[in-house]
Amino acid sequence: DEVPRDFNYTELRAHIARAANLLLSNGARRGVTVALLLPNLFEQQFLFWGAQAAATALPLNHLLEPEHLAGLLIAAEARVLVALGPVPGAQIWEKALAVRDLMGDRLECVIQVGGPPDRRPGIVQYGECMGLASDQLDSALLPGPNDIAAIFHTGGTTGSPKLVQHTHRNELAAAYAYACAAELTPADVCVNGFPMFHVAGAICLSLGTYMAGAHLINLSAAGFRNPAMVTNHWQIVDRYGVTVAGAVATALGSIAEIPLGDHDISSLRLTVSGGALVPRTVAQRFEAASGVKVHEVYGMTEASAVICVEPARGERVLGSVGFAAPFVRVEIRELLKSGGVGSRLSDGGVGVLVVQGATVMPGYKEPRHNQAVLTEDGWLITGDLATRDPDGRITLLGRSKDLIIRGGHNIDPLVIEETAMSHPDVAGAAAVGEPDQYAGELPVCYVVLRPGASVTPESLADYIASRVPERPARPKRVYAVDALPLTGVGKVFKPALRQDAVRKVVVRQTEGLPIARVGTRDGPGGTIVVTIAAAADAHIDELRNALAPRLADFQFTWELVALDRS
């Protein structure tokens, strides 16, 4: 029932040109990176594309802590930071000032968008300066197709930054491929609930929509993280005549739980999902609620969001991500014991999906990161296990790093997750490997139960075991949690679950010993380090001797520390 802000394409282009000229007058230029610490306001669209026209854009997850944000800016060699000013309910401006302090003279300028003006030196007011900027771009300053348009950061919320570079050619190829697959036209009305620091929100749902001249609806500053965008989804579809909707699997599952009521959603012709595999039961629930089939777009940041697509009018096959997108080639290659990839497999073989083509990045900002993801012959290793049928249709089988390896037996967590999700009391599920002294790993499943659920973790474990045909894949334990850990775009963050599984094992193994608490943290090379704090009255040497045999042969490292009484 809100009155939206609205822009036509002529106005959009003028705002982007003014944003580019504002950035150019405040330190931006070709080869300089402009960092954007903004929620999904219209100003984010103006500044994101304006930064690409004038320099290189670095969209940031504003949920990150200042130290992590500063690390990203330093790694990207950013000289300009654009941030939302002080507004109620947001801490973005405070983070921006903290980042400025951490960076020192490496940051030339901070541009404040909205909020009471901060008049300190080095801070420029966006609203005051935009009216003075020209709406014409100097063609001599515009980039070429192989210039770096944007840098996206990957991963979760911790760890060293990994920065993906995109050329303008990468982004245009990916946006065009998406627009073709979705068969977008100027008559379409598309919704975007993804943040701009996610390639799906920036390239597919924004740039792809623009390329078709369609109508883009920006679902609030917080996207689907705003509960109202889920609760009122059918109302929005009805009011605006939405034709193309898109969301990650977790959001689709939540929307499917909202009663349709008397809302008319007959305009909706296509629902797309990306960012993570859509569990079969989630797709079926959404389709039952909406009457519209869910089509998957498969991609990754390193391939500018698009690798495979399911054509809008093509046959939809649940579990498949469709066919290689325009300008893209894919192969299935053997997964080696070392974790690398080997030779190409024939159709039907299960291996690692590799990709080559116009959407694939030229490389990470830090060249050393390229070694593990680019083959010697120039193919991008996705890390996803997949198979291809004789028609070229690709089916994903999970992440190779998410495989649960039980005594040499490879277990796809998706099998466990989909089985758990088929239970009517389960709203969400994620399976990971829990360390075991003998098998290496045992499968366990974390579940979120629906309100009023009567099923217990023990009976749910029996339910899953009775429906998973492979005995090694039957979860050893089921853990009920209030919520699954999510990334900023709503994907399940499995590293946090793996660490929790390790912690649970250590707690069980050390029962009866004088231990105050057990913690975990990231170790080198993706390992997990367990920190065991001794109780105040414990004798450290005796406790260490008692721990050693209990924790021997586990695939994690541990350390014993005295209790920090502070």
Side-chain angles (χ1 to χ4, degrees):
D1 55 355
E2 295 177 1
V3 177
R5 297 173 66 190
D6 193 75
F7 298 88
N8 62 35
Y9 276 95
T10 300
E11 294 166 334
L12 175 64
R13 186 192 182 283
H15 279 292
I16 291 171
R18 290 192 185 98
N21 286 320
L22 170 61
L23 294 170
L24 286 168
S25 64
N26 286 282
R29 54 196 177 277
R30 190 67 45 212
V32 166
T33 300
V34 176
L36 303 168
L37 191 61
L38 296 167
N40 274 19
L41 306 170
F42 275 111
E43 288 77 8
Q44 169 81 303
Q45 293 279 348
F46 307 153
L47 286 155
F48 180 75
W49 304 111
Q52 292 200 23
T56 297
L58 172 67
L60 294 165
N61 181 353
H62 55 81
L63 300 177
L64 300 177
E65 293 303 316
E67 294 76 13
H68 194 174
L69 291 167
L72 292 170
L73 266 71
I74 292 169
E77 301 177 292
R79 305 293 294 178
V80 179
L81 172 62
V82 184
L84 179 69
V87 296
Q91 301 298 315
I92 295 176
W93 186 244
E94 290 80 0
K95 290 182 180 182
L97 295 179
V99 168
R100 185 174 79 151
D101 291 342
L102 290 168
M103 292 191 66
D105 59 7
R106 283 175 289 200
L107 198 61
E108 295 180 9
C109 173
V110 176
I111 298 177
Q112 179 187 349
V113 179
D118 190 324
R119 299 299 183 185
R120 278 174 280 189
I123 297 176
V124 174
Q125 301 303 314
Y126 171 86
E128 296 172 3
C129 296
M130 272 289 278
L132 304 175
S134 170
D135 62 1
Q136 298 298 314
L137 289 168
D138 184 349
S139 59
L141 299 177
L142 294 180
N146 295 320
D147 285 328
I148 301 300
I151 298 173
F152 287 82
H153 58 89
T154 64
T157 58
T158 60
S160 60
K162 207 170 187 181
L163 300 174
V164 177
Q165 301 179 108
H166 288 166
T167 66
H168 289 272
R169 187 189 306 276
N170 291 153
E171 292 190 346
L172 290 167
Y176 180 83
Y178 168 76
C180 287
E183 299 185 16
L184 297 182
T185 74
D188 278 307
V189 179
C190 311
V191 294
N192 181 13
F194 283 79
M196 291 292 281
F197 61 79
H198 191 282
V199 285
I203 298 174
C204 293
L205 297 175
S206 293
L207 185 57
T209 302
Y210 294 160
M211 292 182 79
H215 185 173
L216 179 68
I217 298 177
N218 202 48
L219 290 184
S220 87
F224 280 119
R225 293 183 68 87
N226 179 350
M229 296 301 104
V230 172
T231 304
N232 296 313
H233 185 77
W234 302 129
Q235 180 182 345
I236 293 168
V237 172
D238 184 354
R239 175 178 176 181
Y240 292 99
V242 172
T243 61
V244 180
V248 295
T250 50
L252 287 181
S254 298
I255 292 168
E257 299 297 315
I258 305 299
L260 181 59
D262 58 357
H263 295 303
D264 180 4
I265 63 168
S266 58
S267 60
L268 191 62
R269 67 172 180 85
L270 178 66
T271 297
V272 294
S273 186
L277 289 173
V278 180
R280 188 180 301 268
T281 51
V282 170
Q284 290 170 337
R285 287 173 184 171
F286 184 87
E287 291 170 0
S290 67
V292 178
K293 294 187 181 299
V294 176
H295 285 62
E296 298 214 39
V297 176
Y298 162 64
M300 57 191 299
T301 308
E302 289 83 349
S304 310
V306 178
I307 296 173
C308 295
V309 293
E310 284 191 310
R313 286 187 287 181
E315 179 187 5
R316 194 289 311 271
V317 176
L318 274 178
S320 168
V321 293
F323 305 89
F327 316 116
V328 172
R329 297 168 59 205
V330 297
E331 289 182 357
I332 310 296
R333 295 194 181 180
E334 179 186 8
L335 174 62
L336 303 177
K337 291 182 179 180
S338 63
V341 298
S343 57
R344 178 181 177 180
L345 299 177
S346 57
D347 289 340
V350 175
V352 178
L353 183 71
V354 297
V355 57
Q356 191 178 67
T359 68
V360 175
M361 67 172 183
Y364 292 107
K365 178 71 173 174
E366 176 56 59
R368 63 185 174 85
H369 290 150
N370 296 329
Q371 297 174 2
V373 297
L374 293 174
T375 66
E376 292 183 359
D377 52 351
W379 290 71
L380 173 68
I381 303 170
T382 65
D384 287 312
L385 296 174
T387 185
R388 178 166 61 180
D389 70 16
D391 293 329
R393 180 178 288 279
I394 301 296
T395 298
L396 297 184
L397 303 173
R399 296 286 294 169
S400 60
K401 68 180 181 181
D402 286 343
L403 277 179
I404 302 166
I405 304 176
R406 178 176 183 171
H409 186 90
N410 291 344
I411 299 168
D412 177 10
L414 189 62
V415 173
I416 302 170
E417 292 161 358
E418 291 203 330
T419 304
M421 288 288 292
S422 70
H423 193 286
D425 280 354
V426 176
V432 297
E434 185 175 85
D436 183 76
Q437 288 172 303
Y438 305 102
E441 287 183 317
L442 294 174
V444 296
C445 189
Y446 288 78
V447 298
V448 177
L449 301 179
R450 297 180 186 281
S454 59
V455 68
T456 64
E458 293 75 20
S459 60
L460 185 56
D462 293 338
Y463 172 89
I464 298 171
S466 67
R467 287 162 174 78
V468 172
E470 290 185 280
R471 181 178 294 273
R474 296 169 185 171
K476 183 72 173 176
R477 292 179 177 85
V478 171
Y479 300 121
V481 294
D482 293 334
L484 295 173
L486 303 176
T487 66
V489 296
K491 292 193 291 186
V492 176
F493 189 56
K494 286 195 173 181
L497 295 179
R498 293 192 193 96
Q499 289 201 19
D500 184 73
V502 170
R503 187 189 64 80
K504 290 181 186 301
V505 167
V506 173
V507 170
R508 288 197 299 268
Q509 290 293 114
T510 58
E511 187 176 356
L513 295 179
I515 289 172
R517 57 176 175 262
V518 176
T520 58
R521 69 173 192 273
D522 293 328
T527 60
I528 295 175
V529 177
V530 179
T531 300
I532 302 171
D537 59 348
H539 296 284
I540 294 295
D541 290 339
E542 292 179 5
L543 179 56
R544 182 176 288 106
N545 291 335
L547 286 170
R550 297 193 185 199
L551 300 180
D553 300 324
F554 281 106
Q555 295 177 358
F556 55 77
T557 58
W558 60 276
E559 59 187 10
L560 178 64
V561 298
L563 179 64
D564 183 359
R565 292 180 174 81
S566 63

